[in-house]
Amino acid sequence: MAAKICGLKKRAIMCGIEFVITNTFKEAAKTEEKVMFDEHLYFYLSNAEKYTDTFSLLLNSDLYGETFLGFSEVTKLREECEGILKKYRGIDHRASEIRHFAQSLIILCKEAIKRKKNVFALGD
């Protein structure tokens, strides 16, 4: 599948929200430690959870802007991802993708907590 051109960045990337470990916006642009929440998974999860607020921190991240997540929010984000792993146990392709994303974001959150850093959610 070919990547789309998102926003005005003029580079081929997958559209969605990039979660990065950082303490500053400037640092965020340089980091290689990132987890992509692609727009297809975002919309799938948003639609599946539209009548709940179970994963509110994750789903309220700005798809087109920046969201700063401090220590307590990083902890909550990790907990939401653990909830995703419990809830989405199906064998279909989307459930598998959601689990893979959640596992990757849990690792990123744990690393941020261990290093006493924050997380930026950078939308396209």
Side-chain angles (χ1 to χ4, degrees):
M1 172 169 70
K4 293 191 263 182
I5 303 294
C6 294
L8 299 174
K9 295 181 181 176
K10 305 288 187 213
R11 59 187 174 122
I13 58 169
M14 193 179 312
C15 296
I17 302 171
E18 233 174 28
F19 291 89
V20 297
I21 297 173
T22 186
N23 278 334
T24 67
F25 186 74
K26 187 176 180 179
E27 225 180 277
K30 297 177 185 177
T31 187
E32 294 297 318
E33 298 172 296
K34 51 186 94 173
V35 173
M36 175 58 90
F37 188 20
D38 90 52
E39 67 181 348
H40 300 292
L41 288 182
Y42 175 88
F43 290 122
Y44 173 83
L45 194 58
S46 291
N47 189 46
E49 300 294 329
K50 66 183 166 192
Y51 300 113
T52 73
D53 63 352
T54 308
F55 308 119
S56 61
L57 186 59
L58 181 62
L59 295 175
N60 288 330
S61 293
D62 188 348
L63 196 56
Y64 305 104
E66 292 84 28
T67 305
F68 174 80
L69 304 169
F71 182 80
S72 63
E73 294 162 314
V74 172
T75 301
K76 185 177 186 304
L77 184 61
R78 188 197 73 222
E79 292 167 356
E80 285 186 8
C81 288
E82 289 168 350
I84 287 171
L85 292 179
K86 290 177 185 170
K87 185 169 184 176
Y88 289 86
R89 295 176 179 250
I91 57 172
D92 65 40
H93 179 68
R94 283 286 184 219
S96 175
E97 286 182 319
I98 295 255
R99 280 193 314 275
H100 177 74
F101 160 74
Q103 289 168 335
S104 297
L105 194 51
I106 287 168
I107 292 167
L108 183 118
C109 289
K110 285 181 177 180
E111 187 62 26
I113 291 166
K114 178 178 148 187
R115 291 170 34 195
K116 295 180 176 38
K117 291 225 173 197
N118 302 303
V119 170
F120 268 93
L122 305 170
D124 289 318

